[in-house]
Structures are given as structure tokens and as C-alpha cells.
Amino acid sequence: MSVEASVQAGAGMRRRKKRSLAWWLLQAGKYLLLIVLSASFILPLYWMAMSALKNPWQVYAIPPIWFPVPPRWSNYWEAWHVDNYNLYALNTVLRYAIPVTIGSVLSNAVVAYGFSRIRWPGRDVLFSICLMTMMIPWQVTMVPVFIIFKRLGWVNSYKPLVVPAYFANAYTVFMLRQFFRTIPTELSDAARIDGAGEFTIMWRIILPLVKPALAVVALFAFMGAWNDYMGPLIYINSTNLYTLTMGLARLSASLNQVGVKDLAYPYLMAVSTIVTLPTVLLFFFAQRTFIEGIALTGLKG
Amino acid sequence: MTVLALKRLRLTASERRRLLTGLLFISPWLIGFLAWIVYPLLASLYYSFTRYDLIRPPVFIGLDNYIDLFTRDPHFRVVIPNTFYYVGLGTPLSVATAFLLATLLNTHIHGRPVFRAIFFFPAIVPATVIAMVWKYLLNPQFGAFNAVLRALQWRTIPFLTSPALAKPTLIAIGMWGSGYSMVLFLATLQNVPRELYEAATVDGANALHRFWHVTIPFCSPVILFTLVTGFIYGFQDFTLPWLLTGGGPNEATEFYALHLFRNAFRFLRMGKASAMAWVLFVIIVVFTFILFRSSSRLVYYADAGE
């Protein structure tokens, strides 16, 4: 990082001597472009948060109102109670996201360990099979898997969404394996000579070293469950088991039945904002983890 | 072959022990692989030759589902070009957007982390919310876009309600949410060795030359990776079109995944849905193969010698 910075500083010094009008124009153009692009990326979400605060007469105003005065803060409270969103939020977190996160971290860590830290005959063949499964579209297995869960009597429960998370998945195994491979084998060998079993080595030595990678797995698993719509759409029928995403889709489908018709859109945007908020907070607190995780999934194995 | 297999099975005691330990560690994946991939693959292949509504047992009908799809089904004839349009145009455009954004961020700018966060932001918003927000923004009567147009006394644009515009609109929303690939590209761009640029500059290359002859070749493996995964996921895209347009207007956005879902869980045609899934599988495998084959000369691997 410091090398890069000094190289950049050096380049800057060299440039400073001959800064021409063209250079300044280029800089101005670059920042203008960045600002215009930033605006177009952020405006839709700004519009969501602002629309959530509008009074009925502000919704249809032309030209559109960019900042509603006075903001109608009560939209949030009212919208949240149009439907049983407290229950949906609890379902999403306690029945779905947290169990999936735990299962995903545990199973993927163990499997990735087996694929990278132990040398055994046939390992690399099985791993390439594991990688190949990433190409299979979920639709191919969707019908039989649904039938399996139906026969088990698991439809209309969270089991079909949660249980598979405890059996690892190729993408995450691949990512974690990349991390595990960076740790020198001598570390494990030394522990083996001391008579430590493989599980002890993993639990005591390796896993503590890859905590940031496990955080990436946990983050992606949690976000995946929080954002998931199709899984619950297939498996959950009873409204008392709905997730937030399903509740949001339900609100959108029944917009005209919402008590105060003129507030339908502010309500929809208010719930949307609340559903987005945790992902935004997670992102800001764990930005590094996110960025590193994505950068790592793209590296060649 | 048999001799080879036997030789491979003749393991020393230590090898056998390590094999058992290894298998024990990967057993969660192995069980999941058998239960949720191997068996379903075979079962879905079998179902694709049957008529099956989940209530009565499956009835074997041979190739009828496949023949039906390609000769009689009036929807499938629309779904295929829809999907190819959406994926064939949308994926390269999203990848290009992500790459250009990353290139822009990789220049010497102040506040790079802020801009990176802003460009990445739409990618973490739940697809359900994205659908709600854009449905509202693009609403022909009171959406913000058309309200602005109307305030300027221009004609309003039926973004999602006209069959001609619905697909381009969905593609544009996809480009807006291409932050994941952008982060990936940015990480790659920061690894381009500076010597390469310096050498090119010495040879008299200008910025555009350097971009074309240094940056792009160096990043080509990651571009290929992003394109391939983009195509694979694009073919399976469901939530956004399902909630935003529901396949409409007039089936203009009835994409493969939507149509398959409809057949399986709305019409309970499990056999036909399985046949569709296998056709999709073949399409994806062929697509991936062609992409890798045709790109082998275009993609540059820095460590090809290893």
C-alpha cells in the first residue's frame, strides 16, 4: 500500500511540473462524471427514503418534491402496522437468517478444511466435481428437491430453506479454500508431530487464523437469507411464517386495499426503507469484509 | 482402466487413514451432493419424460414434454428469444458498466472509497426492494421519471408497460446493480503491475493504447469469469422480473426462469418444468463451452507457464 502510495505521489510530483489547461479540464471532467454517476446510482434509493416521508398531496405533486416539508414520520409507524411486519422480521432473522448463517459457517469451514488442509487420495478429483456443480442451474434440481421436502412433510416450514445450509455449498467452499491455502502447511505439520488430531488442529490453529474469511461467509449467508424471496415463495404458504421480503411483495400486491389509499406508496417505500436499512448498516460496518470477500471469489484457484 | 483403478486403491495404511479423515471432513458436502444434486439430477431427468402433477403418480410419456416445448408450446417460442435478448445484451452491458466504473475509480482520484461505496450500494439492496422502488419510479402516471418529463412538458415514457421498452428497462436496472463485478474488477486493476504501464509509456503508448493493450489483456481472465457467471446467473434470473413486470406486458419479459417457475408451481406441470430445466442446463453448458473455446485466444493468463 505504501509503495503504491509513494509511486502515485511520485507520479503526481512529475505531473505537477507541467500541469496544463488540458490537465485541469481532464480533472474537472473526471470529477463531474463521477458526481453525475454517483447521483444516478444513489438517487433511486434517496427517492425511496424521501417518498416514505410524504403526505398524500406530496405524492402526486408535479414537479416532484425532492424533500417533503413537513416530513410525515408517522408513515413508518403506520406502514409497519399495516401488516404483521414484527412477526415477519422475527421469522426472517430467527427462523431463517441466523440458523442459515450458523450452518453455513460451520459446514463450509469443515468441508473447505478437508479440501485444502488434509492430503488424501482422490481429493482433487472430488474438488473439481464440487466446482462443476456450480454450473448446474437451480431449476434442474428444483422439482425433485421440492418433492423430497414435500414427502418429508417439510413444506410450509423453514426446514427446506435452513437444512441445506448445513451441508456446505460449492461457491463458499471454493472461497474459503482459497483462504486456507494461504496458511503454511508447516503449521499443521508441527501440530501433527505434537500428536494433535485433525479436528483439534482445525479448531485451535487454523480457524482462528481465518476469522476474517469466516466473517465473509457469515455476512454473505446472512444477507442471502435476508434478501431471499424465491426460497420462501416456493416453500412458505402460511402468512404467519412469511419473511419480510414476502410481506413487502404482499403489500405491493394489495396496494389499493391499504386503509389510506393515498398513502399506499409512502407506506410501500417506508417498509422498503426499513427492509433495506439492516443491509445498509451491515455494509457500512463491514465494508472491508464485503470488498475482500468479493475480490477473493474472483481469484483463480 | 481396471488395473489403474486397482493400483489406485492399493493404499498404504497412512494413506487409508488420511483418506478416511478427508472423507469425514468433506462428508457434509458429500451427503448434500448426493441428496440435493446427484439424486435430483437423475430424478428430474426421469420426471422430464413423465406427466406429473404432484397429486397422481408420474406417468411415463417419453419425449412428449420436449416435443411439446419445441413444436406446440406458443409461450416457449416467446420465452427463448426473450431470454437470449435479456441475457445476451444485459450481461455484456452490465460487465462493461462494471469495468468502466472500476477503471474510472482506479485513476488517481480523491475519495475513492466513497465513490466505490456509492457504486456498490445498489448491489446490496434486496431484489424485492429494488423491484418496489423502480416500479414506483417508473410508474407512467406518478413515477418520478415521468413526473419530471411531464414538468418539462415532454411526452411520458411507458418504461415497463410497453412491450418494446420493458426488456431494455430491466437491462438498465441490471447495469445499475452491477456493483459486485465492479468491486471485483477494481481489485484486479489494482494488481496490474506498474512496470507494464511504464514499459508501454516508454514505447510511446498513449492512455487509450495502454488501456487496450495492457489493462484489458491483464484483466481478461476476470472479465471472462464475470461474463461466464453473469450468463449462468442471467439465465436463472427470477426475483426482479417476477416482481417488477411479472412477465408482462404481453409476455415481453417472460424469461426462462419465470416460465419454468410458473409451469412447476402455478400449473403443477412438474414433468414439463423438468424438461425445461434440462433444456436450460444444456443451453448453459453449451454457452459456457463456446465462451471458453472462443475466448482461449483472447484471454491472457499471466501465469500460463506454471
Side-chain angles (χ1 to χ4, degrees), chain B residues 2-3 18 26 33 45 48 60 72 133 158 177 189 201 205 214 217 228 251 275 299 304:
Chain B
T2 354
V3 180
R18 278 190 280 121
I26 66 147
F33 174 65
L45 189 60
S48 78
F60 190 81
R72 285 189 289 269
V133 171
L189 286 170
T201 314
V214 178
V228 170
E251 291 201 315
V299 173

Side-chain angles (χ1 to χ4, degrees), chain A residues 168-191:
Chain A
N169 75 76
Y171 204 74
T172 318
V173 166
F174 172 71
M175 193 194 79
L176 268 182
R177 183 173 164 274
Q178 300 283 83
F179 268 104
F180 283 154
R181 275 155 48 116
T182 60
I183 302 167
T185 45
E186 288 81 4
L187 221 57
S188 307
D189 292 338

Side-chain angles (χ1 to χ4, degrees), chain B:
Chain B
M1 274 308 277
T2 354
V3 180
L4 252 172
L6 279 176
K7 257 190 191 160
R8 228 176 255 163
L9 279 178
R10 210 177 295 147
L11 305 166
T12 63
S14 126
E15 275 178 326
R16 214 175 300 137
R17 204 180 52 244
R18 278 190 280 121
L19 175 66
L20 283 179
T21 323
L23 285 178
L24 188 68
F25 269 82
I26 66 147
S27 58
W29 171 76
L30 205 56
I31 295 167
F33 174 65
L34 294 174
W36 287 303
I37 292 180
V38 176
Y39 166 74
L41 270 183
L42 299 173
S44 118
L45 189 60
Y46 166 68
Y47 290 140
S48 78
F49 299 119
T50 65
R51 191 184 306 117
Y52 187 25
D53 60 4
L54 285 181
I55 300 152
R56 285 160 296 183
V59 181
F60 190 81
I61 54 168
L63 285 169
D64 267 16
N65 284 324
Y66 291 95
I67 294 168
D68 191 57
L69 278 179
F70 287 105
T71 59
R72 285 189 289 269
D73 188 339
H75 306 291
F76 196 67
R77 229 167 284 161
V78 185
V79 166
I80 287 282
N82 275 350
T83 312
F84 275 90
Y85 181 128
Y86 181 58
V87 179
L89 206 61
T91 304
L93 280 176
S94 289
V95 172
T97 310
F99 194 78
L100 291 176
L101 286 176
T103 313
L104 185 62
L105 286 184
N106 196 44
T107 58
H108 191 237
I109 53 164
H110 296 280
R112 181 186 296 150
V114 177
F115 288 117
R116 184 180 60 186
I118 290 173
F119 294 154
F120 182 62
F121 192 26
I124 53 159
V125 176
T128 331
V129 170
I130 291 181
M132 300 305 141
V133 171
W134 283 102
K135 206 173 183 175
Y136 178 41
L137 276 170
L138 299 175
N139 185 296
Q141 277 96 47
F142 45 87
F145 272 76
N146 281 317
V148 169
L149 292 179
R150 206 171 289 144
L152 293 168
Q153 308 244 307
W154 288 351
R155 245 192 314 165
T156 58
I157 301 171
F159 292 100
L160 291 169
T161 42
S162 106
L165 287 179
K167 277 190 284 275
T169 306
L170 278 175
I171 288 173
I173 295 173
M175 289 161 69
W176 175 73
S178 60
Y180 271 104
S181 322
M182 181 212 63
V183 170
L184 188 56
F185 285 136
L186 189 57
T188 317
L189 286 170
Q190 285 172 344
N191 283 331
V192 182
R194 276 180 192 274
E195 306 93 76
L196 286 182
Y197 287 122
E198 281 157 17
T201 314
V202 170
D203 288 346
N206 64 26
L208 211 62
H209 281 137
R210 285 198 299 269
F211 180 71
W212 193 251
H213 293 292
V214 178
T215 313
I216 299 245
F218 190 87
C219 298
S220 53
V222 181
I223 297 176
L224 177 68
F225 170 84
T226 314
L227 268 179
V228 170
T229 48
F231 279 126
I232 294 180
Y233 288 125
F235 277 116
Q236 307 171 48
D237 205 4
F238 175 81
T239 304
L240 191 67
W242 180 260
L243 287 174
L244 202 52
T245 57
N250 200 13
E251 291 201 315
T253 57
E254 182 77 356
F255 300 126
Y256 212 103
L258 274 67
H259 197 57
L260 203 156
F261 180 89
R262 228 184 278 283
N263 269 299
F265 297 109
R266 292 292 178 264
F267 310 139
L268 295 181
R269 294 180 195 137
M270 294 295 167
K272 190 171 168 185
S274 299
M276 275 191 76
W278 271 90
V279 172
L280 177 67
F281 193 12
V282 172
I283 292 176
I284 286 180
V285 169
V286 170
F287 228 83
T288 312
F289 184 76
I290 291 175
L291 217 57
F292 273 113
R293 254 301 161 82
S294 62
S295 66
S296 60
R297 242 176 270 155
L298 297 172
V299 173
Y300 163 82
Y301 289 102
D303 52 356
E306 281 171 33

